[in-house]
Amino acid sequence: MSEMISSFVEQMQELFARCRELENAHNEKLLELCNGVLERLIRNDPEIEQLSEDLRLLFVDKDSMNNAVSASHENHVHIIDTKEDKMVSGVNDWFTDFLSRVHEEEEVQRNRQRIMEINHFIDYQADEVDNLELEPVDQ
């Protein structure tokens, strides 16, 4: 069971590593796209005129745009890391709890079995004493 949990955690960590890779690729594409939009805004391209004011505030200059994209990327990576930590710790906590419950149940069962053996032994000894024929002792 421990090997299965370890294998599951490894697979999960590989998937989260892949998510981080995809986020990095997304960030690179977003940065390229934003740089293109910024260049078009600087050239006063008429196709960019329909951008909202909120979006235009991100493209005031290259630094503010890079800061916004970087903050977005860091936030996404943080979310991925948090989810990974939560899932790994959740699986490990579940497994620890499961093992303790199994151990506890086995211990209770073992104790009950031992009590039954002792009771059986006492009953057997009581039957032996009852069936014992004693001869009177002469003094």
Side-chain angles (χ1 to χ4, degrees):
M1 182 81 158
S2 179
E3 291 175 13
M4 290 172 57
I5 296 297
S6 296
S7 174
F8 176 71
V9 167
E10 286 176 21
Q11 290 175 355
M12 195 170 31
Q13 288 172 328
E14 289 173 6
L15 288 173
F16 278 102
R18 180 70 177 129
C19 286
R20 279 191 278 292
E21 290 172 8
L22 291 171
E23 169 55 30
N24 289 336
H26 168 74
N27 183 59
E28 290 174 12
K29 294 286 185 185
L30 182 62
L31 200 52
E32 289 174 13
L33 180 67
C34 288
N35 280 327
V37 170
L38 181 64
E39 288 174 12
R40 290 173 75 181
L41 279 171
I42 291 171
R43 290 190 318 241
N44 291 325
D45 191 331
E47 291 181 14
I48 299 294
E49 293 299 319
Q50 71 265 10
L51 287 178
S52 69
E53 277 303 309
D54 291 336
L55 198 52
R56 284 182 181 273
L57 291 175
L58 294 175
F59 293 99
V60 172
D61 60 17
K62 189 168 184 143
D63 287 338
S64 64
M65 184 222 30
N66 283 334
N67 288 340
V69 171
S70 177
S72 171
H73 175 64
E74 289 172 9
N75 188 37
H76 289 153
V77 170
H78 176 71
I79 289 170
I80 292 169
D81 291 343
T82 302
K83 293 288 184 185
E84 179 182 16
D85 291 343
K86 187 175 181 180
M87 288 186 73
V88 168
S89 66
V91 167
N92 288 331
D93 290 347
W94 171 84
F95 186 58
T96 302
D97 182 55
F98 174 76
L99 286 180
S100 68
R101 280 186 287 129
V102 165
H103 177 70
E104 188 176 298
E105 290 171 8
E106 286 177 353
E107 187 174 337
V108 167
Q109 184 64 28
R110 188 173 49 247
N111 290 343
R112 287 182 180 162
Q113 183 66 34
R114 187 69 179 136
I115 289 170
M116 287 174 45
E117 289 173 8
I118 292 169
N119 285 338
H120 178 69
F121 179 74
I122 290 171
D123 291 342
Y124 175 77
Q125 292 300 320
D127 288 343
E128 287 293 315
V129 168
D130 289 342
N131 294 333
L132 190 63
E133 295 180 17
L134 296 177
E135 296 180 18
V137 177
D138 293 327
Q139 290 186 337

